[in-house]
Amino acid sequence: MGIDRGFFITFEGIEGSGKSTQIALLSSFLKKKITKKVFLTREPGGTKISEKIRKLVINDLDEKSNSLTELLLLFAARAEHYDLIREKLNKNYIVLCDRYIDSTVAYQHYNGNIKLDVINYMQKLIDPKNKPDLTILLDIDPVVSKSRILKRNKKLDRFDKESVGKMNKIRKAFLKIAKLNKKRVIVISNNLSKKDVQTNVQNQVLKFINR
Ligand code: TYD
């Protein structure tokens, strides 16, 4: 089986929601069953320059940094990255992206002080279509995700160190975004086993691609 057009699918959720695991599993599944043309990427990041910006945003900025500096860096990374995404979509790839515009709305607007109008304006400069084709929101209780993060053998970054209270605020923001974008955003609970969550993810994506 193949596909004759590109699809832009994003994964969203709070830290420790299992995005990276599930997106990698989906990528292998699609490559095996649907098409070899799958492009797995992430934000902030995805290109040489955008990965450099990612390091600045995650490692060098802190909660005292100017929120506009953070926003402009995130959009600078996205402008570079979206050129590559567009190129892949034009070549009929399925693009799977770990975080995208909904993260900006959840973190910089709902959990930050940036107006939605500003985010939407900048987003449209980069991507006139503005939104991905499909978004999978992996929903999880922050208490569970926090314990997962602490079990990882990885140095914690400033986002991983967020309190459960703040993570709850971001979770609610994502759920609100899902409610406002019912056609595009599918909420999948990550309280099940890794395998069951993957089955749910695969079913939703196949349903969308075969529509
Ligand atoms: P990520 O590596 O996906 O975090 P994790 O794997 O722990 O879920 O993303 C890095 C951080 O960047 C994430 O905590 C949220 C933040 N971020 C924003 O604040 N705004 C954005 O627009 C994006 C894309 C990410």
Side-chain angles (χ1 to χ4, degrees):
M1 209 199 318
I3 54 162
D4 57 8
R5 57 167 275 217
F7 290 96
F8 185 19
I9 302 173
T10 60
F11 273 63
E12 300 281 4
I14 59 173
E15 283 75 16
S17 58
K19 285 179 291 96
S20 316
T21 308
Q22 291 299 333
I23 204 169
L25 289 172
L26 178 67
S27 171
S28 320
F29 167 79
L30 292 173
K31 278 185 185 159
K32 241 187 251 157
K33 302 276 182 194
I34 309 291
T35 173
K36 289 268 172 293
K37 286 174 153 186
V38 176
F39 179 60
L40 178 57
T41 188
R42 68 172 178 183
E43 287 221 341
T47 68
K48 201 171 161 199
I49 289 177
S50 307
E51 287 291 330
K52 284 189 178 177
I53 299 174
R54 177 188 177 91
K55 289 205 180 89
L56 283 176
V57 172
I58 293 179
N59 302 332
D60 298 335
L61 294 188
D62 59 33
E63 40 301 323
K64 287 190 223 93
S65 303
N66 185 309
S67 55
L68 205 49
T69 306
E70 180 184 58
L71 183 80
L72 294 170
L73 283 171
L74 285 165
F75 273 113
R78 183 165 301 153
E80 277 288 314
H81 188 210
Y82 192 74
D83 283 346
L84 180 61
I85 293 176
R86 186 190 296 112
E87 199 183 300
K88 296 288 180 187
L89 291 173
N90 288 340
K91 290 182 184 159
N92 294 348
Y93 272 74
I94 299 179
V95 176
L96 302 176
C97 190
D98 190 339
R99 295 195 185 280
Y100 190 61
I101 179 64
D102 299 315
S103 279
T104 318
V105 174
Y107 287 83
Q108 278 66 49
H109 171 62
Y110 286 112
N111 191 49
N113 59 1
I114 305 289
K115 288 204 175 96
L116 203 48
D117 288 356
V118 174
I119 293 176
N120 286 336
Y121 178 77
M122 292 182 79
Q123 179 65 16
K124 280 205 182 114
L125 292 178
I126 292 172
D127 171 9
K129 223 185 119 200
N130 200 18
K131 296 280 161 70
D133 298 312
L134 175 72
T135 298
I136 304 286
L137 171 59
L138 288 179
D139 183 50
I140 192 154
D141 183 334
V143 175
V144 179
S145 70
K146 191 88 199 172
S147 77
R148 282 189 191 166
I149 293 167
L150 297 177
K151 274 190 214 140
R152 277 182 200 162
N153 251 343
K154 176 187 134 198
K155 197 170 162 274
L156 299 186
D157 61 45
R158 72 175 164 113
F159 290 100
D160 294 329
K161 289 182 190 151
E162 298 275 35
S163 67
V164 167
K166 224 165 186 190
M167 286 166 82
N168 232 329
K169 196 171 162 199
I170 297 164
R171 179 195 195 189
K172 287 202 179 119
F174 276 126
L175 290 171
K176 187 165 179 186
I177 293 168
K179 222 172 162 185
L180 294 172
N181 296 271
K182 279 207 179 94
K183 279 205 180 130
R184 173 178 62 88
V185 183
I186 308 280
V187 183
I188 294 183
S189 162
N190 204 356
N191 270 332
L192 307 166
S193 72
K194 203 198 284 188
K195 196 163 163 271
D196 286 345
V197 175
Q198 180 56 206
T199 305
N200 290 344
V201 170
Q202 285 171 11
N203 288 343
Q204 291 294 343
V205 170
L206 290 180
K207 197 165 110 189
F208 184 78
I209 289 175
N210 294 318
R211 252 184 351 180

